[in-house]
Amino acid sequence: MLTVDNLSVYYGAIRALHQVSCRVDQGEIVALIGANGAGKTTILTTISGIVSSSTGSIAFEGEDITRMPAHQIVTKGISQVPEGRRVFARMSVQENLEMGGFILSNKQEIKQGIERAFTLFPRLAERRKQAARTLSGGEQQMLAMGRALMSNPRLLLLDEPSMGLAPMLVEKIFEIIVEINKTGTTIMLVEQNASMALSIAHRAYVLETGEVVLSGSASDLASNPEVRKAYLGE
């Protein structure tokens, strides 16, 4: 579904990614794990067109999207849940969801998208008229995910969904990620909580200083002594 080939990205003189190659097959959950500053978020923002690459290519469902602008990439079927949630603070929950459906011209589709979000996240339905800034961190994460799903993406890019959440909420968010995947949405997941990420992913890539240093099935990486020592606290 997605192929990233020899991707290099620079922020000014600083190299964020160096010849990174990875792929996501249809129906998978693929995790990117690594320390802070390893380049995980840069991969997602480059795929979604927010950051430009210096070299390399990105193909989605056989089409080259390397130089495509971000708003056009959304129409192709890729949506991103940004790190730090970034909800529209002054808008209501419902208005945030409507913003996520900006590419939909059919009012019925928008209505169905909102109902889907409220089914996945019943807490949002209870707060549909509340300003997003009044929500808890967990509720804002649910809203950011619901907003990203409004455009009916075939590939969902999830950036640090557990950041700043209580352990009980982290489990709930990961259960919902699995549920979203089971309904047919392919997922690329960036996550600091490596053990949680590997517990739900099919495959994973380990990044260090902008390079892929290990890749394989999530279960193989979870039992790899180096990974256990570096990322699973063992």
Side-chain angles (χ1 to χ4, degrees), residues 87-97 118 123-136 139-140 143:
V87 294
F88 299 108
R90 294 182 180 185
M91 289 185 180
S92 70
V93 165
Q94 177 140 344
E95 287 166 339
N96 267 271
L97 293 173
F118 288 162
R123 210 176 293 186
L124 296 183
E126 296 163 17
R127 290 156 172 69
R128 67 194 303 160
K129 299 268 188 274
Q130 265 181 244
R133 68 171 182 267
T134 66
L135 303 180
S136 70
E139 289 161 355
Q140 287 188 10
L143 181 55

Side-chain angles (χ1 to χ4, degrees), residues 23-43:
R23 69 168 214 279
V24 182
D25 296 336
Q26 192 165 345
E28 284 190 309
I29 298 176
V30 172
L32 302 176
I33 62 172
N36 268 336
K40 307 183 299 298
T41 291
T42 301
I43 290 179

Side-chain angles (χ1 to χ4, degrees), residues 72-222:
Q72 213 174 321
I73 287 172
V74 176
T75 68
K76 297 293 177 185
I78 299 176
S79 194
Q80 182 168 349
V81 181
E83 181 183 0
R85 305 182 265 278
R86 300 195 192 178
V87 294
F88 299 108
R90 294 182 180 185
M91 289 185 180
S92 70
V93 165
Q94 177 140 344
E95 287 166 339
N96 267 271
L97 293 173
E98 287 167 357
M99 288 294 283
F102 78 97
I103 66 166
L104 307 174
S105 51
N106 183 322
K107 281 186 178 175
Q108 189 57 32
E109 274 187 289
I110 294 169
K111 190 180 171 188
Q112 285 169 351
I114 290 169
E115 289 313 313
R116 180 193 180 191
F118 288 162
T119 303
L120 269 174
F121 308 106
R123 210 176 293 186
L124 296 183
E126 296 163 17
R127 290 156 172 69
R128 67 194 303 160
K129 299 268 188 274
Q130 265 181 244
R133 68 171 182 267
T134 66
L135 303 180
S136 70
E139 289 161 355
Q140 287 188 10
Q141 184 60 51
M142 292 172 188
L143 181 55
M145 288 166 71
R147 181 183 60 188
L149 289 168
M150 282 294 295
S151 59
N152 297 316
R154 292 185 297 287
L155 175 64
L156 183 65
L157 307 175
L158 270 170
D159 197 356
E160 302 286 8
S162 80
M163 185 187 276
L165 302 186
M168 216 168 77
L169 259 178
V170 171
E171 284 191 23
K172 181 66 184 164
I173 291 290
F174 273 81
E175 280 169 22
I176 293 165
I177 292 168
V178 171
E179 201 176 316
I180 291 167
N181 178 244
K182 281 179 178 169
T183 61
T185 307
T186 304
I187 291 171
M188 194 172 200
L189 169 69
V190 159
E191 182 52 64
Q192 280 275 282
N193 188 333
S195 57
M196 282 299 279
L198 293 174
S199 73
I200 66 163
H202 300 97
R203 290 186 306 106
Y205 294 87
V206 180
L207 273 94
E208 277 178 22
T209 56
E211 297 184 42
V212 172
V213 292
L214 278 172
S215 66
S217 75
S219 55
D220 283 353
L221 289 178

Side-chain angles (χ1 to χ4, degrees), residues 50-83:
I50 296 164
V51 169
S52 297
S53 58
S54 307
T55 60
S57 64
I58 304 164
F60 180 62
E61 295 181 331
E63 183 179 1
D64 188 337
I65 61 166
T66 316
R67 299 279 171 250
M68 203 176 273
H71 67 276
Q72 213 174 321
I73 287 172
V74 176
T75 68
K76 297 293 177 185
I78 299 176
S79 194
Q80 182 168 349
V81 181
E83 181 183 0

